[in-house]
Structure formats: structure tokens, C-alpha cells
């Protein structure tokens, strides 16, 4: 059990980092790229980029927090429903146990034994139904907070990297070139290690992540330039 | 089983919509608010906002897609590991079954009966271990694609609403006031219904969501204005 829990926690952390870093490396970069095609001052690009990072970092962190809380409350409301069902319709719940076990090839005798033994302790019965009928694990109570911090920080770090290019260049066009170079490298490294952690081919994973970032940036650039041409 | 699956799917959809809409209603709004304090033209605010929406929509959608794929691949790799364990160390796996059932109050006789019955069919055995030892459900194969579309669309819709204010006003300051008003109302309505769907108090939920959006916008505004003052 110790091993399993550890495993699941590390997977949560990786998922959160991937969520924050994917967007962090992509959105501020793509926004800056889009603006680079439409404005003439690096200062505006940087100001917009920083406003975006702050906004995205807080919004995504809080988004992760809310998602974690929702998961927790969902578990709790399902739990309460199971408690009520075990209290009010125990025979129907016993039939449910038997049906579930029948699917795994248990015979009538095994099913009945299982249902009767489980029914002896209502708390264990409910825990059993949660895990087995509904496939729900009790969420880590710190999940929401950890999720918020991990996603927010990953977004912040990922977002700042592409923006640095505009500090050291004099026009948005130059900034965009350097930024695209930095970001392409970062996206590939990120995709490479992400894929390695999740047991996929790191080279293909790196290319996929890089491509998605560049697609988002190209789309933002195209839309911003078109918009600027139409209205100016 | 039918009921459970339906339930889980609807929860995925809600989670995705909440993720996309939370950020969509918050980030472009907060970015526009931040820029409103630092630039003098509505056009720049709108261009940046649109570039952000396009970038965020694609990046978040793809983020959801990657997260869904990671979940699927995680399930597959755990599945393969269980298959190998059942083949190579069946006795240890049987002991694991007995230990798990012991926790739920089954006696020695029940544990042995269960372990022996399960061991008869290796496919069912592995499925059982996945669900029961690891608490993993086989993910919906369309989850990644659905996730991408739901998150992306929710982000797009959520992001466009606050931006409309800058079309119908003549200065960023006026735009910000109208945008803040529109967004506050939208955030509250979104939070209200989101909370209702997840079985929480809709009024408190509405206020929480509204507060998080305004906090992100205030932070972005403060940082953009400070940055503008320091460097201009």
C-alpha cells in the first residue's frame, strides 16, 4: 500500500508540472510572438508578457486548487451516498457486490461469502464499495494546495524563459527570433524529460511538445498580424 | 455499471469545462486589465487579448490532450506490469490479494477462497488487480480528444467575453471598468452553476470564483503598472 500511494502522489506531481509547464512555456511565448507582429516596442511585449505570466500563474494555480477541491468534494458526496445506501437498502447493495464479483469469475458460493463477510462491518463495507464499485480513491487532503503551488510555479518558470529574449534585443522582430530559439530548445528539453518520466519515447515526445508550442505561437502571430492589418 | 460510467464521464466533462472556463474568464481579462494600466490604446489591449485567447485556447487544449494521453499511457504501463507479475510471481500476487481482503475484515478462509478463484482466469485477475490494488480505471479512449476540445472551447468563450468591453469604449481605463463589470457578472454566474453541479453551496462558490478572478486581474494590473513606472 505504501508503494502504491507513493506512486500515485508522484504521478499527481508530474501531471501538475506538465500542466503548468506546458502552458507556461507556450502561452506567454505565443502571446509575445503574436504581439511582436503587431507592435513596434519591446516594452509593450514585455509588459504584456509579464501581466500574462502573473495572471496565468494565479489563475492556473487557483484552477488547480478548485479542481483538487472538486475532486475531494465529489469523493465525499459519493461516500455519503454509499453510507446511506448501505443503511437503507443493504440487500440491494449485497446484490451489487455479488454482481461485481460475478464479473471476475467468482462462483455463487464465493459471491455469497464475500457479500456476507463484507456486511459485518459497515465502515469497511462502504470503503470497499467506494474503491470497488465506483473506483474512487480518497484524495490526498493536501492535493488541492500542492496542485495549486506546483502548477503556478511551473507556469511562472516556463513563462519567464521565452520573455527574457525581449530584454536583450532592441526590436520585437529580433526578440521574437531569439525567443523562438530559446523556447524551441526549452520545449524540446521539457518534452524529452516529460516523456522519459511517463515511459514514452523521449525523442518523439520532445518533438510533439515542441510542435504544439510552435503551432500555438504561429496561430497567435497570424491572428494578431491579421487583426492589426484589418483594424489599423 | 452503466450508471457509474455515465457518472464518471459527466464528471470529466465538468472538470474540463471548469478548467477551461476558469482560466478563460480570468487570464485574458487579467492580461487586459494589466495592460490597461500600462498602455494608452484599446487596440493594443484587444490585439494582446486576442493573441492570448488564441494561444491559451490552443495551448490549454493541447495540454488537456497530453494530460489525457499521459493518463492512458500510465494505465497501460501499469497494466503491463501487472500482467508480468501475475505470470512471473503468481504466489506473491495471491498473497497481495489476501492482504488487501484482510484489511476489509475477511477471514483466512475467505481470503484463500478469493485468491484461488481469481487465479483461475489471468485476464480477470489482472483487471481485478488494476481496479482493486491500484485503484485505476481504464480511461475512456476518447478522453484526451474530448478534453482538448472542451477545455479549448471553454477557454475561447470565457476569454472573449471580457474583451468585448474594449471594442465599445474609447480608452483602456473605460474598457477596464466595463470589462471588470462584465467579467464579475460572468464569473459569478459561472461559479454559481459550477458549484450547483458539483453539489456545493452556489452562492459561496460564486463568490469564491469571482474573488479569484478579481485577485488575478488586480495582481496583473499592479505588476504591469509597477513595471511600466520603473522602466518608462
Amino acid at each position: 500500500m505504501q508503494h502504491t500511494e507513493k506512486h500515485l502522489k508522484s504521478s499527481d506531481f508530474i501531471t501538475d508540472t506538465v500542466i503548468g509547464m506546458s502552458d507556461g512555456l507556450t502561452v506567454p511565448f505565443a502571446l509575445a510572438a503574436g504581439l511582436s507582429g503587431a507592435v513596434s516596442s519591446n516594452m509593450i511585449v514585455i509588459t504584456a508578457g509579464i501581466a500574462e505570466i502573473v495572471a496565468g500563474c494565479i489563475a492556473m494555480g487557483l484552477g488547480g486548487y478548485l479542481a483538487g477541491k472538486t475532486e475531494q468534494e465529489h469523493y465525499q458526496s459519493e461516500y455519503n451516498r454509499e453510507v446511506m445506501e448501505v443503511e437503507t437498502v443493504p440487500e440491494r447493495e449485497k446484490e451489487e457486490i455479488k454482481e461485481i464479483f460475478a464479473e471476475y469469475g467468482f462462483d455463487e458460493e464465493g459471491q455469497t461469502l464475500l457479500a456476507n463477510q463484507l456486511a459485518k462491518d459497515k465502515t469497511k463495507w462502504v470503503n470497499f464499495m467506494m474503491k470497488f464499485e465506483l473506483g474512487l480513491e480518497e484524495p490526498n487532503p493536501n492535493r488541492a494546495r500542492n496542485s495549486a503551488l506546483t502548477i503556478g510555479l511551473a507556469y511562472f518558470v516556463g513563462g519567464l524563459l521565452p520573455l527574457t529574449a525581449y530584454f536583450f534585443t532592441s526590436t520585437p522582430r529580433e526578440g521574437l527570433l531569439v525567443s523562438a530559439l530559446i523556447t524551441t530548445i526549452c520545449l524540446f528539453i521539457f518534452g524529452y524529460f516529460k516523456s522519459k518520466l511517463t515511459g514514452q519515447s523521449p525523442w518523439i515526445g520532445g518533438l510533439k511538445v515542441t510542435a504544439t508550442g510552435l503551432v500555438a505561437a504561429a496561430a497567435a502571430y497570424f491572428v494578431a498580424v491579421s487583426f492589426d492589418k484589418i483594424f489599423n
Side-chain angles (χ1 to χ4, degrees), chain A:
Chain A
M1 291 306 275
Q2 203 61 34
H3 173 75
T4 307
E5 265 189 56
K6 207 171 156 190
H7 180 88
L8 286 172
K9 270 181 204 162
S10 112
S11 168
D12 283 347
F13 177 76
I14 290 171
T15 305
D16 289 341
T17 307
V18 167
I19 291 172
M21 191 67 94
S22 303
D23 288 8
L25 271 174
T26 320
V27 186
F29 162 60
L31 165 70
L35 276 179
S36 297
V39 303
S40 57
S41 146
N42 275 21
M43 221 51 204
I44 292 176
V45 177
I46 295 172
T47 307
I50 285 179
E52 212 286 336
I53 292 172
V54 172
C57 182
I58 294 177
M60 286 206 72
L62 288 174
Y65 185 82
L66 291 175
K69 281 284 172 204
T70 302
E71 191 188 335
Q72 219 159 3
E73 281 150 9
H74 174 65
Y75 182 88
Q76 197 54 51
S77 78
E78 292 292 328
Y79 187 89
N80 296 342
R81 204 186 62 171
E82 280 303 326
V83 168
M84 203 199 65
E85 285 179 356
V86 161
E87 285 295 338
T88 55
V89 284
E91 290 309 316
R92 210 185 66 193
E93 287 296 292
K94 275 193 193 178
E95 281 307 312
E96 279 183 20
I97 301 174
K98 288 166 83 171
E99 277 167 31
I100 294 163
F101 280 112
E103 267 184 56
Y104 290 98
F106 289 101
D107 62 20
E108 183 64 33
E109 189 202 350
Q111 293 168 30
T112 310
L113 182 113
L114 280 162
N116 289 336
Q117 288 214 357
L118 253 189
K120 279 182 201 158
D121 184 330
K122 278 183 183 163
T123 309
K124 286 175 179 168
W125 188 359
V126 169
N127 288 336
F128 187 92
M129 298 303 274
M130 289 303 289
K131 196 161 176 178
F132 209 9
E133 190 201 4
L134 300 175
L136 292 175
E137 296 267 352
E138 190 169 4
N140 178 346
N142 297 323
R143 172 87 170 97
R145 196 202 58 199
N146 292 349
S147 216
L149 293 175
T150 310
I151 292 177
L153 193 67
Y155 192 90
F156 188 82
V157 172
L160 225 48
L161 290 168
L163 215 58
T164 52
Y166 294 89
F167 281 102
F168 306 113
T169 53
S170 49
T171 65
R173 188 171 289 267
E174 280 174 44
L176 174 56
L177 286 176
V178 180
S179 177
L181 194 72
I182 295 175
T183 311
T184 303
I185 295 168
C186 292
L187 282 168
F188 188 81
I189 294 172
F190 165 65
Y192 184 92
F193 284 104
K194 191 211 77 154
S195 306
K196 218 166 184 175
L197 278 170
T198 54
Q200 301 164 261
S201 157
W203 290 95
I204 292 171
L207 288 176
K208 268 189 203 167
V209 169
T210 309
T212 62
L214 296 179
V215 165
Y221 182 86
F222 178 77
V223 169
V225 168
S226 309
F227 185 82
D228 191 53
K229 272 197 185 141
I230 294 166
F231 288 93
N232 277 336

